[in-house]
């Protein structure tokens, strides 16, 4: 099945950069003011969801789910749940980081939720790619200026990093001490990150 791309309402400055990740067969869900990114991304949504309290423009003539303003799920969380109900296994989240910090953190937690369900998920902002490292090792090539490992969910143990300026072997990273910030892939190498127990947020920073 094709990948689901969920588009939030956070600012996007480098549309050309984001467009480079999109595929012809992606299924697009715009969340509320994520509709304002249609032209910049060059897409037509397949589905629009939200309470539409932050989008004042005309809604496109596509399938739309209007949500109440008072609800437990944010518009983005609802979009992810709706995509899961439709059977999607792979996700790309854009326009979900920046602006209000509470919204950004809530949206990043969706990467943890999707990882917990065994789904493939990546988030993008103008300068970085974000994903969760848990069950399988993740490789990082030399196109990135830096990469950081952050713990958002308890304690991660048995962390191994190879092919990087600051290698690790059977290390531990907690939420309280973020010492995995701003590592670098060694020239001519591909770095690899693995975790024996727990989960880490991997942030790959572009030049």
């Amino acid at each position: 099945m094709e990948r689901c791309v969920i588009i939030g309402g956070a600012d996007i400055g480098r549309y050309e950069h984001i467009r480079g990740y999109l595929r012809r067969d992606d299924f697009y869900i715009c969340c509320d003011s994520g509709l304002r990114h249609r032209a910049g991304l060059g897409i037509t949504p397949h589905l629009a969801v939200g309470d539409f309290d932050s989008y004042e423009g005309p809604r496109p003539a596509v399938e739309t789910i209007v949500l109440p303003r008072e609800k437990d799920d944010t518009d983005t969380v609802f979009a992810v749940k709706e995509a899961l109900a439709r059977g999607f296994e792979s996700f790309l989240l854009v326009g979900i980081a920046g602006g209000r910090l509470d919204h950004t953190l809530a949206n990043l937690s969706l990467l943890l939720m999707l990882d917990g369900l065994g789904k493939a998920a990546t988030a993008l902002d103008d300068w970085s790619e974000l994903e969760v490292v848990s069950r399988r090792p993740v490789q990082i090539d030399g196109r990135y200026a830096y990469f950081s490992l952050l713990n958002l969910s308890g304690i991660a143990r048995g962390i191994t990093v190879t092919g990087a300026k600051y290698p690790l072997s059977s290390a531990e990273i907690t939420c309280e001490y973020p010492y995995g910030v701003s590592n670098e892939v060694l020239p001519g190498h591909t770095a690899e990150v693995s975790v024996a127990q727990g989960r880490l947020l991997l942030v790959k920073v572009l030049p």
Side-chain angles (χ1 to χ4, degrees):
M1 191 173 189
E2 71 264 39
R3 181 180 62 174
C4 183
V5 178
I6 294 177
I7 302 164
D11 288 344
I12 297 174
R14 301 177 68 194
Y15 283 113
E16 183 176 358
H17 163 67
I18 301 296
R19 286 198 301 269
Y21 289 84
L22 303 181
R23 304 172 185 166
R24 184 171 298 178
D25 63 345
D26 283 332
F27 183 92
Y28 296 104
I29 302 178
C30 285
C31 306
D32 204 318
S33 60
L35 287 169
R36 66 191 175 94
H37 296 310
R38 287 174 291 161
L41 294 176
I43 62 99
T44 298
H46 298 88
L47 174 66
V49 304
D51 53 27
F52 300 102
D53 61 348
S54 58
Y55 179 72
E56 298 179 353
R59 298 178 199 165
V62 299
E63 181 184 0
T64 300
I65 300 175
V66 180
L67 305 174
R69 292 194 176 186
E70 296 183 1
K71 56 189 183 299
D72 291 333
D73 291 341
T74 66
D75 295 340
T76 312
V77 170
F78 180 89
V80 169
K81 289 184 175 180
E82 179 65 21
L84 287 167
R86 296 183 184 213
F88 286 97
E89 296 284 334
S90 180
F91 292 80
L92 179 67
L93 310 178
V94 302
I96 67 158
R100 282 181 54 174
L101 180 60
D102 54 345
H103 282 187
T104 295
L105 293 175
N107 288 334
L108 290 179
S109 71
L110 288 169
L111 292 176
L112 295 173
M113 183 183 84
L114 289 167
D115 176 75
L117 295 171
K119 312 302 181 184
T122 299
L124 295 178
D125 62 22
D126 286 340
W127 298 102
S128 56
E129 302 171 17
L130 304 94
E131 63 183 292
V132 172
V133 184
S134 58
R135 304 169 187 82
R136 294 176 295 276
V138 174
Q139 293 187 332
I140 307 153
D141 62 39
R143 86 184 80 168
Y144 304 98
Y146 302 99
F147 69 91
S148 296
L149 295 168
L150 303 172
N151 193 324
L152 302 181
S153 60
I155 299 175
R157 296 186 173 93
I159 302 164
T160 299
V161 179
T162 60
K165 183 176 182 179
Y166 306 110
L168 290 175
S169 178
S170 299
E172 178 179 293
I173 295 179
T174 69
C175 295
E176 292 83 8
Y177 183 39
Y179 75 91
V181 175
S182 294
N183 207 338
E184 301 175 37
V185 179
L186 290 174
H189 288 71
T190 297
E192 184 172 278
V193 177
S194 61
V195 180
Q197 178 184 345
R199 300 187 289 180
L200 292 173
L201 178 67
L202 170 62
V203 183
K204 297 178 285 187
V205 183
L206 295 161

